[in-house]
C-alpha cells in the first residue's frame, strides 16, 4: 500500500489556510431577515440581472419577482391554468416538481428571454404499479425591461416524460459551442 508523505511545508500551508479561514469567517457580518412570505413551495430562487430575486412556486405555478431591499413581491405569471390536472390543493395525484426551474438568457440585457420548465400534462396512471405519468414543458418568455412583464410565450419542448416522482427541472444555459468555421 502506498502512502504519500506529508512534508513540513505542505503541513504548514494547510494549517495556515485552515487558521485564516477560521479567523476571517468569525468576523464576517451576517444579518438574516425574511423578505417574502406566503409563497407556495418555492422551487428555484435566483438573483436576476435586474438585482431582484426571481422565484418559481412549485405548487401554485407562479413566478414571482421579489425586491431584496423592500420585500415587495410582483407576480410575473400564473401558469396554473396551463396544465390539464387540478391545482395542488384539489389534486389526488400530483407530480413532484410542478412549476420547476428557470434560466435567464446569458445576454439578458440584449435578449431578455426567460426559459421556464413545468409539468403540464397528466397522461394517466398504471393500475398494476400505481405509477402515474406526466409530461414536462420548457417554454421561453420575452421579458419587457420597461414594463417588467412576461409575454410572447414560445414552446421549446413539450414531450419530456415524467412521473409522480423525480421530475427534475433545473435549467441552465451553457456556452454556444457551435463550430463557426
Amino acid at each position: 500500500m502506498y502512502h504519500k508523505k506529508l512534508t513540513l511545508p505542505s503541513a504548514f500551508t494547510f494549517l495556515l489556510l485552515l487558521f485564516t479561514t477560521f479567523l476571517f469567517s468569525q468576523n464576517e457580518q451576517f444579518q438574516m431577515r425574511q423578505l417574502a412570505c406566503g409563497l407556495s413551495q418555492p422551487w428555484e430562487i435566483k438573483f436576476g440581472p435586474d438585482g431582484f430575486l426571481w422565484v418559481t412556486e412549485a405548487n401554485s405555478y407562479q413566478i414571482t419577482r421579489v425586491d431584496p431591499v423592500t420585500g415587495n413581491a410582483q407576480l410575473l405569471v400564473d401558469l396554473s391554468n396551463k396544465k390539464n390536472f387540478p391545482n395542488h390543493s384539489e389534486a389526488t395525484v400530483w407530480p413532484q416538481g410542478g412549476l420547476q426551474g428557470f434560466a435567464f438568457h446569458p445576454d439578458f440585457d440584449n435578449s431578455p428571454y426567460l426559459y421556464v420548465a413545468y409539468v403540464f400534462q397528466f397522461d394517466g396512471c398504471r393500475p398494476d404499479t400505481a405509477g402515474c405519468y406526466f409530461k414536462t414543458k420548457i417554454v421561453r418568455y420575452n421579458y419587457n425591461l420597461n414594463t417588467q412583464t412576461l409575454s410572447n410565450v414560445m414552446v421549446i419542448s413539450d414531450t419530456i416524460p415524467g412521473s409522480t416522482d423525480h421530475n427534475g427541472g433545473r435549467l441552465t444555459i451553457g456556452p454556444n459551442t457551435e463550430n463557426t468555421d
Side-chain angles (χ1 to χ4, degrees):
M1 179 181 242
Y2 174 77
H3 295 280
K4 188 172 183 175
K5 187 176 182 181
L6 184 64
T7 65
L8 186 58
S10 297
F12 177 75
T13 302
F14 173 75
L15 290 173
L16 182 63
L17 287 172
L18 183 65
F19 176 74
T20 56
T21 301
F22 176 75
L23 178 69
F24 289 110
S25 67
Q26 298 303 308
N27 294 327
E28 185 176 322
Q29 296 296 313
F30 177 77
Q31 182 182 16
M32 184 174 74
R33 67 186 174 99
Q34 182 174 324
L35 283 179
C37 60
L39 300 175
S40 178
Q41 192 178 0
W43 181 271
E44 186 150 26
I45 303 170
K46 292 182 182 180
F47 267 106
D50 58 358
F52 281 64
L53 292 170
W54 293 54
V55 183
T56 58
E57 299 177 53
N59 291 349
S60 68
Y61 274 69
Q62 295 178 339
I63 300 175
T64 303
R65 189 173 158 265
V66 179
D67 183 331
V69 175
T70 65
N72 290 336
Q74 172 194 7
L75 177 64
L76 290 174
V77 68
D78 182 342
L79 300 173
S80 62
N81 65 348
K82 303 294 183 190
K83 55 186 177 40
N84 75 345
F85 49 91
N87 290 329
H88 183 264
S89 60
E90 305 158 355
T92 55
V93 176
W94 185 258
Q96 182 188 40
L99 175 55
Q100 301 166 341
F102 67 97
F104 297 101
H105 189 281
D107 187 16
F108 192 75
D109 289 336
N110 295 311
S111 300
Y113 300 132
L114 182 73
Y115 298 87
V116 180
Y118 64 97
V119 179
F120 77 103
Q121 183 173 313
F122 172 65
D123 286 337
C125 297
R126 290 184 52 180
D128 57 331
T129 64
C132 297
Y133 300 96
F134 293 85
K135 283 199 176 63
T136 296
K137 181 184 283 190
I138 297 174
V139 296
R140 183 187 83 184
Y141 283 96
N142 291 8
Y143 181 69
N144 186 310
L145 299 166
N146 296 321
T147 63
Q148 301 170 345
T149 56
L150 295 173
S151 63
N152 301 329
V153 65
M154 182 176 88
V155 175
I156 304 295
S157 175
D158 62 0
T159 59
I160 302 169
S163 69
T164 48
D165 194 25
H166 299 297
N167 288 303
R170 303 280 187 215
L171 295 179
T172 188
I173 300 175
N176 183 357
T177 58
E178 181 179 313
N179 185 354
T180 57
D181 293 338

